[in-house]
Amino acid sequence: MVENIEYEEALKKLKKYGQEHILCRYEYLDDERKEKIINQIKNIDFDSLIDLFNVTNKSIKKLEGNVTNIDFVDKEKLTKEEYETYYNIGKKEIEQGKYAVLTMAGGQGTRLGCVAPKGTFKIGGGIEKSLFEVLSETIKEAKNKFNARIPWYIMTSRENNSATEKFFEKNDFFGMPYEDVKFFKQGELPMLDFNGKLILDETGIIKLASDGHGGVFESLDKNGYIEDMKRRGIEWVFISGVDNVLAGLVDPIAVGLAIKEGTLATGKSVVKRSPDEQVGVFCKKNGRPYVIEYTEITEEMANARNEEGELLYGESHILTNLFNIKAIEDIAQNKLPYHKAKKKAKYMDENGEIIKPENPNAYKYEKFIFDAFESLDNMSILRVKREDEFAPLKNSDGEDSPDTARDLYIDFLKRKEKGLIK
Ligand code: UTP
């Protein structure tokens, strides 16, 4: 039960920030939701939230600083000797149980239009496997190959955590040891309408949204999983999204490269298809690793080529990165910046009606994992073949859809069967 005094304090706090409208449905809420919304109000740091609204509203992000291209190693062009050197270094780490996989599965999958967690989505067309199952197979295969224990950490959101856990239980953890699959929820922030006002979710409490894949480091830390990794002797964590069917989750070359180059991270890249492809690319900014987003890159840079005729800024970031545990610990202590994204957010209006907007109506605030790169002194970049390691599933049809991901997956399996994949 909410005490009157608690309600009054919440109202006072809201009035200070011009947000008292958010209690307009309070009297219609049941006790549980009354308690929830009062707790939400107690916990929101309104000064920071309003700052965020004002700062991110100011301008479009412009590229500043001294930007140069970044060195990379092309996996395909390694000599036999180089390949074996990196491979053997990495293999040893994996065999010694120092390697873990982390899958970020806290997104909403709005473009794909799935209501259930995206990882439960089946790619279909004869492949009746969910994304989680496909990823679990990649891990299990590596476990057998290296005869190693490879724990799997899965970042979920408040919205999809319980459905994700239930899905794993129903599928008997896809044969992974139960104690080696760990779920943790990512952080959340309130959404704001275009006037900086809080909105209600469909149940009448404050609408929150997950804080982006860059929230992974802080959430790992908050949930005690950095400690868990250290206890297990984990040195290397491969972090990627749930929606890349071909993600090379266990890669000795990526580890070997980082160790040989003395870096604390390896980012995998694929060659940008054309100067105007809408992807972020690896580069260096003021001497540190950085990803320039497609909205930031100038036409001149996008078209610049080296002596061999390759794009100078052509190493696309595909959200498949390996981090050393020390880097993860450090990044978790640094606050990454927030970016705003316009979203169509379902909400409850002051009359209790649920509104499903046709156009974006609210801002979601997100951190991006690649903003963490700037805090590293250096980073290794490993160029991999697109057709071997990148089959994203973003849209319900067209590009990067179940159809394209499935075709790439089937083609990969065929080549693998013929022994054409290293
Ligand atoms: P996307 O940015 O493509 O988002 O996430 P999404 O949620 O999958 O899809 P849309 O934009 O709503 O259509 C890339 C990866 O990062 C994870 C996603 O689950 C996906 O694996 N992610 C994204 C999170 O874990 N948390 C987030 O807050 C955002």
Side-chain angles (χ1 to χ4, degrees), residues 104-112 118 155 186 210-213 241-243 319 343 364 366 394:
M104 300 182 293
Q108 291 171 310
T110 36
R111 282 169 288 170
L112 190 60
K118 198 171 182 178
M155 181 168 83
Q186 70 175 108
S210 39
D211 61 357
H213 46 61
V242 72
D243 49 9
L319 203 65
K343 293 274 175 181
K364 178 176 188 244
E366 295 186 300
K394 300 286 180 193

Side-chain angles (χ1 to χ4, degrees), residues 286-419:
N286 301 327
R288 288 177 172 270
Y290 186 75
V291 169
I292 328 179
E293 293 179 68
Y294 68 88
T295 45
E296 282 181 289
I297 196 165
T298 61
E299 215 181 309
E300 194 190 343
M301 284 172 77
N303 285 287
R305 293 186 185 265
N306 65 14
E307 282 161 11
E308 284 91 52
E310 287 196 322
L311 292 174
L312 206 53
Y313 298 94
E315 299 314 305
S316 314
H317 173 251
I318 52 168
L319 203 65
T320 52
N321 303 295
L322 175 81
F323 292 88
N324 185 276
I325 190 81
K326 289 191 203 83
I328 293 180
E329 267 190 295
D330 283 351
I331 298 165
Q333 301 311 316
N334 298 332
K335 299 266 176 271
L336 298 182
Y338 281 103
H339 303 255
K340 71 168 181 205
K342 284 184 178 176
K343 293 274 175 181
K344 286 187 234 170
K346 231 197 270 176
Y347 67 100
M348 182 186 278
D349 73 5
E350 63 277 17
N351 303 315
E353 302 276 333
I354 306 301
I355 311 290
K356 252 177 121 176
E358 306 242 313
N359 294 308
N361 61 321
Y363 292 127
K364 178 176 188 244
Y365 294 97
E366 295 186 300
K367 293 177 193 171
F368 295 152
I369 197 163
F370 48 79
D371 279 326
F373 300 159
E374 267 185 285
S375 70
L376 302 166
D377 291 336
N378 206 349
M379 179 170 182
S380 301
I381 306 295
L382 182 62
R383 180 195 276 183
V384 296
K385 271 164 83 179
R386 184 182 281 261
E387 63 270 35
D388 286 358
E389 304 212 19
F390 192 45
L393 212 167
K394 300 286 180 193
N395 307 308
S396 56
D397 48 36
E399 237 178 72
D400 300 341
S401 64
D403 287 347
T404 59
R406 185 191 321 121
D407 287 350
L408 286 163
Y409 182 62
I410 292 173
D411 174 67
F412 175 82
L413 293 183
K414 277 190 194 147
R415 284 185 293 122
K416 196 167 160 199
E417 223 176 86
K418 289 186 189 153

